[in-house]
Amino acid sequence: MQAIAPPSQSFIRTTRPRLAPFRLASIQCVYRSDSVNFPNGVGLSRADWQSSCAILTSKVVSKEQPTEKPGSGTGSEGSADHIAAVNGHKTIDLNLVPIIDKNKTDLAAADINNNRPQAKPLTITDLSPAPMHGSQIRVAYQGVPGAYSEAAAGKAYPNCEAIPCDQFEVAFQAVELWIADRAVLPIENSLGGSIHRNYDLLLRHRLHIVGEVQLPVHHCLLALPGVRKEYLTRVISHPQALAQCELTLTKLGLNVAREAVDDTAGAAEYVAANNLRDTAAIASARAAGLYGMNILADGIQDDSSNVTRFVMLAREPIIPRTDRPFKTSIVFAHDKGTSVLFKVLSAFAFRNISLTKIESRPHRNRPIRLVDDANVGTAKHFEYMFYVDFEASMADVRAQNALAEVQEFTSFLRVLGSYPMDMTPWCPSGGD
C-alpha cells in the first residue's frame, strides 16, 4: 500500500462538516466582576477560583433543541446554526451563566431582589493568551491543592501554575476558554481501571492529547492533631482510594464506616475545616501538610505498584516525531456494530504496531441497534465507541497506512492525539 502524506494537525474522517475555527463571539458566559479577581485570567486563591467556576459550569444539553429561523418553515435549519457538527458528532452550546439584558428591567430587578450582583459578558480582555517562551504555564487539574492530580501536573510541567477545578469538565473548559494553557487529567488507574468520565469528555470537547505522565499513588491515613486511631468512627476519601486501602484498614483494626467524597485532598480539607475529631481521611502526605493533619499510618495502599496514568491536554496538537517513542490515541465507531472490530485491529497487527489500550464506551447518540428477524424477533445490541492507544507516531508511515485502512471499515474516526510516551524510570510508590 502506498504511503499517505502526514496530516497537518489531526487525522479525521467524517461525512459531516467540520466546525468553524474557535471564535470568542460564540461563547455565552459571564463572570461575577465584583466577587472574582482575575489576574491573567485566574483568581489569586482557591476561594477566587471556586467563585470563578460559575463561568465554567455548563448545563449539558443531552438532546438537540431545534429552533426556527425567522421565515423558515421548519426548525432544522435553525438548529444547524447553533449546533455544529464536529468529527461526526454535534457539539453543545456553552450556556454557562445566562447573560442578562440591561433592557429587561424585570430580570435586573429580580437580581437586585435576590441580592445577586449584575453579570456582564466575558470579553477578550478577560482572556489571556498562551504564555510566551520562558513564562509560567498554567495547568488545570481536578481537585483541591494536595490532590494527586496536582502532583501529576507538577510532574508533567515543573514550576507550573496549578489551577484547581471542582469538576473534570471545568478543567476541559478552562483550557478551551484560555484560562489555562494545559489540563492534566487521570485516564486510568492500575487497580481501579479506566476513568470513564474523562473518556466521554475527550470525545465531547475539542482538546488534543499532547503527552502522558504516570504517577505512583501513595496513600496516608490522616487525622487532626491529638486524635488516635481508636477514637475514629469513620474514614472518608475518594471511592477508589477507599477500595485501594480496604485490606490495610482492616489489618489496622479500624472498625470504621467508609464514606466516599469527590477527591482525596478534599477529604482532608473537609476534616480540617469542620474540626472532625472522629473522622480520618485517606490522602497524600502533601495534603497532610497543607491542611494541618497528622499522618496516623503511611503507605496504606494495598498494592505498592498502584499507579495512575494522566494525559496532558492542549488546544492545539503537537507535531509528531519519530526520534523518540510516541503513542497515538484514536476513537472510532461503525454504523453496523462491533463486527468491524477485528478488521480494524488487523490493520495494526499486519504492520506490527502494538496496541497498549482498548476501551469501549456506549454510543450516547445511538445507544441501541435493532436487528429484525422474522423467525426469532428483534435483537437489540448496544452501539459502542472504541478508544484505542497504539505505539506509533502519526509521522510514522506505518501508522498513516494503518489509519488509511481503518477509514475503510469505520463510519467515524478521530485522532485524539499523537504524543511522547512517558519513559521515566519506574519505581513503586514510596511517597510524594
Side-chain angles (χ1 to χ4, degrees):
M1 179 179 293
Q2 183 180 359
I4 62 175
S8 57
Q9 286 189 345
S10 62
F11 190 99
I12 301 175
R13 195 264 188 183
T14 176
T15 58
R16 299 188 181 181
R18 299 182 183 178
L19 187 69
F22 177 89
R23 293 181 298 177
L24 179 64
S26 64
I27 301 177
Q28 300 179 9
C29 56
V30 298
Y31 73 98
R32 308 293 186 186
S33 58
D34 58 349
S35 62
V36 183
N37 186 18
F38 275 92
N40 295 328
V42 180
L44 289 173
S45 66
R46 176 173 175 266
D48 292 334
W49 175 253
Q50 285 181 325
S51 299
S52 68
C53 280
I55 300 174
L56 305 173
T57 304
S58 63
K59 300 176 181 179
V60 177
V61 181
S62 60
K63 59 182 179 180
E64 180 179 344
Q65 299 292 337
T67 57
E68 292 189 9
K69 293 176 62 178
S72 65
T74 63
S76 59
E77 293 182 5
S79 64
D81 286 342
H82 67 88
I83 302 182
V86 181
N87 299 325
H89 290 271
K90 292 190 174 181
T91 59
I92 61 173
D93 288 339
L94 294 181
N95 295 321
L96 306 180
V97 180
I99 298 177
I100 299 176
D101 189 347
K102 293 182 179 180
N103 296 325
K104 297 181 179 179
T105 56
D106 54 338
L107 290 180
D111 266 358
I112 295 174
N113 294 334
N114 293 330
N115 295 323
R116 290 186 296 178
Q118 289 294 318
K120 72 174 186 178
L122 186 69
T123 65
I124 191 65
T125 58
D126 299 309
L127 302 182
S128 301
M132 301 300 291
H133 179 70
S135 61
Q136 192 176 37
I137 192 171
R138 299 158 299 183
V139 181
Y141 69 92
Q142 189 274 330
V144 299
Y148 294 106
S149 292
E150 183 194 39
K155 182 178 179 180
Y157 300 101
N159 302 317
C160 70
E161 179 185 354
I163 302 174
C165 303
D166 62 351
Q167 301 173 31
F168 289 130
E169 186 151 11
V170 173
F172 275 84
Q173 295 185 25
V175 179
E176 290 180 331
L177 297 178
W178 293 71
I179 294 174
D181 307 298
R182 299 287 188 274
V184 174
L185 298 171
I187 200 69
E188 61 178 332
N189 176 265
S190 58
L191 297 180
S194 299
I195 313 298
H196 294 142
R197 177 62 176 163
N198 283 335
Y199 273 101
D200 295 338
L201 290 174
L202 282 173
L203 187 60
R204 178 179 301 173
H205 293 270
R206 299 183 300 276
L207 300 183
H208 303 266
I209 303 177
V210 296
E212 67 172 1
V213 61
Q214 298 182 4
L215 183 76
V217 177
H218 187 82
H219 292 308
C220 301
L221 185 67
L222 312 181
L224 291 174
V227 173
R228 299 169 59 180
K229 288 187 292 186
E230 50 266 32
Y231 297 160
L232 299 175
T233 60
R234 65 172 178 166
V235 174
I236 64 175
S237 191
H238 188 276
Q240 286 203 8
L242 292 171
Q244 293 163 12
C245 302
E246 180 65 32
L247 296 178
T248 304
L249 291 176
T250 302
K251 291 179 181 179
L252 291 174
L254 296 179
N255 185 20
V256 294
R258 278 77 157 166
E259 294 185 14
V261 295
D262 289 340
D263 60 271
T264 55
E269 181 189 43
Y270 179 78
V271 172
N274 293 277
N275 194 30
L276 302 178
R277 307 193 66 82
D278 63 343
T279 304
I282 297 176
S284 65
R286 170 170 163 75
L290 286 175
Y291 304 113
M293 307 277 283
N294 280 349
I295 298 178
L296 298 182
D298 189 21
I300 64 172
Q301 63 277 359
D302 298 335
D303 188 347
S304 62
S305 298
N306 186 12
V307 60
T308 298
R309 184 168 75 96
F310 295 78
V311 292
M312 296 113 79
L313 304 174
R315 289 179 291 273
E316 298 294 336
I318 61 174
I319 300 175
R321 300 162 56 179
T322 58
D323 59 347
R324 61 170 298 177
F326 256 65
K327 180 184 293 185
T328 300
S329 298
I330 65 173
V331 56
F332 63 88
H334 192 267
D335 292 335
K336 297 183 179 179
T338 60
S339 60
V340 73
L341 183 59
F342 173 77
K343 296 178 181 179
V344 170
L345 300 183
S346 298
F348 297 102
F350 176 75
R351 294 168 177 85
N352 198 29
I353 298 177
S354 298
L355 302 185
T356 62
K357 172 75 173 178
I358 182 168
E359 178 76 30
S360 63
R361 296 289 297 145
H363 198 309
R364 287 180 175 267
N365 295 335
R366 190 176 61 252
I368 297 294
R369 177 171 55 93
L370 302 179
V371 179
D372 292 325
D373 190 323
N375 296 324
V376 297
T378 301
K380 294 169 287 294
H381 303 289
F382 267 51
E383 292 279 20
Y384 292 97
M385 307 291 293
F386 293 95
Y387 295 79
V388 170
D389 296 345
F390 59 87
E391 291 183 347
S393 168
M394 280 297 296
D396 189 335
V397 174
R398 296 179 307 154
Q400 297 170 22
N401 290 339
L403 292 185
E405 184 176 340
V406 170
Q407 278 192 98
E408 302 174 4
F409 306 129
T410 58
S411 58
F412 170 84
L413 173 63
R414 175 178 164 189
V415 173
L416 299 172
S418 189
Y419 49 93
M421 296 174 58
D422 184 355
M423 302 299 290
T424 55
W426 163 249
C427 59
S429 173
D432 290 341

